[in-house]
Amino acid sequence: MDNKGIVVLGSGLAGYSVIRELRKLDRDIPVTLVTRDSGDYYSKPMLSNALAQGKDAAGLVLTRAADMAAQLGIKLLVDTEVHAIDRANKRLDTTSGALEYDRLVIALGADPIRIPVQGDAADAVLSVNDIADYARFRGLLGNKNTVRAELVEAHSNEHISTGSMRTEVAIMGGGLIGCEFANDLAAAGHAVSVIDPGPWPIASLMPEQAGQQLLAPLAALGVDWRFGTSVSRVDRAASGYLLTLADGAQLQTDLVLSAVGLRPRIALAQQAGLAVNRGIKVDAHLRSSDAAIFALGDCAEIDGKVQPFVLPIMHAARALAKTLAGEETPVVFPAMPVVVKTPAHPVAVLPVARDAVGTWQLRSNSDGVKMEFIDAEQCISGFVLTGRYAAERNEMSKQVGQRALPV
Ligand SMILES: Cc1cc2nc3c(=O)[nH]c(=O)nc-3n(C[C@H](O)[C@H](O)[C@H](O)COP(=O)(O)OP(=O)(O)OC[C@H]3O[C@@H](n4cnc5c(N)ncnc54)[C@H](O)[C@@H]3O)c2cc1C
């Protein structure tokens, strides 16, 4: 147990970013990174737009784990699961043994939410939240195509429609990630159904006029939208699965992908007695209820907000690195629009809090929409830009907080 110093849990964007930022300030503090995966560095957002680009999981790896460790000058423990945090002794219980820390950074990410469904194939529902999930998913898509390609070859004199070459994928959830997968799968030639109890795409972030912009462009790629219903049963069928929806409709599909949201991984922190809410509660310094323990990324709730996106993580990582290097630095978030990777109809949205008071105002609508969220003080506090307006996100970000022009 010679490895005190800073221990970082998790080798995702949050874990690696904070170490990279720290190393710009200090090459000497001992840092150990513990991760239950391979530790290879990849860009998670690529998971939902890699199929159409023909990328397999290996093609998504940007830097191998050993090279990350060498570049960053850290000790890296891969394939190592952390079981418990003993705060009194500043010690971790891991599958590779005990490990002591002076300061601990928790960057454990989030788990896909599993919606309970009935049926004998409920366990066949997939989710893609990391590179290993993607490898599996892509393999299943590919297998189907290989089997069908062999079928076509073996029956070269018979007609097998090219439609049967496509894997049919039913996506549970028409939110941001569901829409991205729908666009990617459809662009890669697969048949896609999106099933969502909500009223329009990405309804939790966008008003109706904006969400509806996605309907026709994705339908033109072959996406079959099913709103106002949900998946009740998944049963095995002669080939693939039979879905039964809450409205009684039935759907035959080869794969079922769930994209209904993520839940911050708080169990370890909770068991250790740290303050948690939806995420691990931290202040603007990313400090938890224990002064020696910090958290950032998808597992953290910073000043009451969980922001599971790249830009907030980068800002948090920079601030936390300074604090860890000795200069107490609160994170200050600028306006951080989220780009939805739906090339069939691009979208950029600066979301507003669920309980925000105000109204969405339509500013322009030709080949897309430009909408602003005007709050109670008549200021712009959110926006959504779709289609040709999506490119204006940086310009719009500058207007956030300013008084809105009369409509
Ligand atoms: C498909 C998809 C597309 C996305 N697209 C975008 C986008 O376009 N733009 C955007 O801003 N955001 C996007 N996001 C969100 C963004 O990718 C995430 O917010 C970010 O990658 C989360 O990083 P993280 O380090 O917090 O978590 P993760 O990357 O999940 O890392 C968590 C780490 O913790 C490790 N771990 C977990 N439990 C344990 C344990 N008990 N012991 C040891 N190690 C453990 C894991 O192995 C992993 O290394 C997307 C997310 C998904 C899933």
Side-chain angles (χ1 to χ4, degrees):
M1 288 200 273
D2 56 346
N3 47 320
K4 286 210 194 167
I6 296 170
V7 175
V8 177
L9 307 184
S11 61
L13 182 74
Y16 271 132
S17 297
V18 75
I19 298 173
R20 192 180 283 122
E21 293 299 324
L22 178 64
R23 283 301 186 230
K24 291 180 190 164
L25 307 169
D26 190 316
R27 288 293 306 174
D28 301 325
I29 305 180
V31 175
T32 304
L33 175 56
V34 186
T35 181
R36 71 178 176 194
D37 61 35
S38 69
D40 289 342
Y41 182 66
Y42 71 100
S43 161
K44 190 180 273 201
M46 285 291 295
L47 298 179
S48 51
N49 69 345
L51 291 170
Q53 295 176 34
K55 293 208 176 207
D56 62 10
L60 293 182
V61 174
L62 300 171
T63 313
R64 292 262 160 228
D67 296 329
M68 288 302 285
Q71 278 172 24
L72 297 170
I74 59 173
K75 181 172 174 188
L76 181 55
L77 294 178
V78 299
D79 302 321
T80 300
E81 177 130 11
V82 181
H83 286 320
I85 303 168
D86 170 0
R87 288 165 52 209
N89 296 302
K90 291 194 166 180
R91 191 193 307 217
L92 304 168
D93 172 20
T94 83
T95 49
S96 301
L99 193 70
E100 290 185 336
Y101 63 86
D102 291 318
R103 286 173 296 169
L104 182 67
V105 176
I106 305 178
L108 293 174
D111 282 316
I113 293 173
R114 304 277 303 182
I115 290 191
V117 290
Q118 304 290 313
D120 64 15
D123 59 350
V125 175
L126 304 163
S127 50
V128 176
N129 184 42
D130 59 35
I131 198 163
D133 293 340
Y134 177 77
R136 176 156 181 250
F137 181 57
R138 197 174 188 277
L140 290 169
L141 281 170
N143 279 346
K144 185 81 192 202
N145 278 355
T146 311
V147 171
R148 285 183 170 173
E150 282 164 1
L151 206 78
V152 171
E153 213 176 280
H155 299 80
S156 51
N157 295 334
E158 300 165 27
H159 174 74
I160 291 182
S161 80
T162 49
S164 70
M165 291 292 290
R166 310 190 309 164
T167 305
E168 286 165 25
V169 184
I171 300 179
M172 294 167 62
L176 187 148
I177 302 289
C179 286
E180 291 189 350
F181 276 116
N183 196 146
D184 199 35
L185 282 159
H190 302 291
V192 183
S193 303
V194 176
I195 303 131
D196 191 303
W200 58 80
I202 322 184
S204 65
L205 301 183
M206 315 205 301
E208 182 171 3
Q209 274 161 302
Q212 285 193 338
Q213 301 296 310
L214 283 168
L215 295 177
L218 270 84
L221 279 183
V223 173
D224 167 30
W225 296 106
R226 310 267 181 137
F227 286 103
T229 188
S230 55
V231 175
S232 308
R233 296 185 63 87
V234 183
D235 290 290
R236 275 171 228 290
S239 143
Y241 304 102
L242 181 69
L243 300 194
T244 307
L245 307 188
D247 62 10
Q250 291 200 310
L251 230 123
Q252 182 79 36
T253 189
D254 298 316
L255 296 175
V256 188
L257 178 65
S258 173
V260 297
L262 296 172
R263 185 173 289 127
R265 292 190 180 115
I266 60 170
L268 272 177
Q270 197 166 23
Q271 283 153 16
L274 294 175
V276 295
N277 185 32
R278 219 185 127 226
I280 302 168
K281 287 174 88 166
V282 294
D283 61 17
H285 289 87
L286 294 315
R287 191 173 270 118
S288 73
S289 54
D290 179 328
I293 303 182
F294 302 82
L296 80 166
D298 285 6
C299 66
E301 180 175 316
I302 306 172
D303 273 345
K305 269 175 138 178
V306 177
Q307 299 191 75
F309 298 108
V310 170
L311 283 179
I313 292 175
M314 301 307 290
H315 284 279
R318 259 176 242 132
L320 178 53
K322 284 190 184 164
T323 297
L324 293 172
E327 185 192 335
E328 285 283 325
T329 306
V331 60
V332 179
F333 292 120
M336 296 175 292
V338 179
V339 174
V340 185
K341 300 184 297 292
T342 44
H345 190 79
V347 176
V349 57
L350 181 69
V352 291
R354 261 172 228 262
D355 55 356
V357 178
T359 51
W360 284 100
Q361 300 281 0
L362 181 68
R363 291 291 178 184
S364 311
N365 63 341
S366 79
D367 301 330
V369 296
K370 177 175 183 171
M371 300 183 75
E372 296 169 351
F373 187 83
I374 316 295
D375 64 20
E377 274 80 49
Q378 297 304 307
C379 291
I380 301 170
S381 60
F383 60 79
V384 52
L385 307 166
T386 85
R388 71 187 182 94
Y389 303 106
E392 295 176 24
R393 68 179 191 277
N394 291 337
E395 204 46 49
M396 270 306 296
S397 295
K398 291 182 195 144
Q399 293 175 37
V400 172
Q402 294 182 8
R403 274 193 92 71
L405 296 171
V407 183

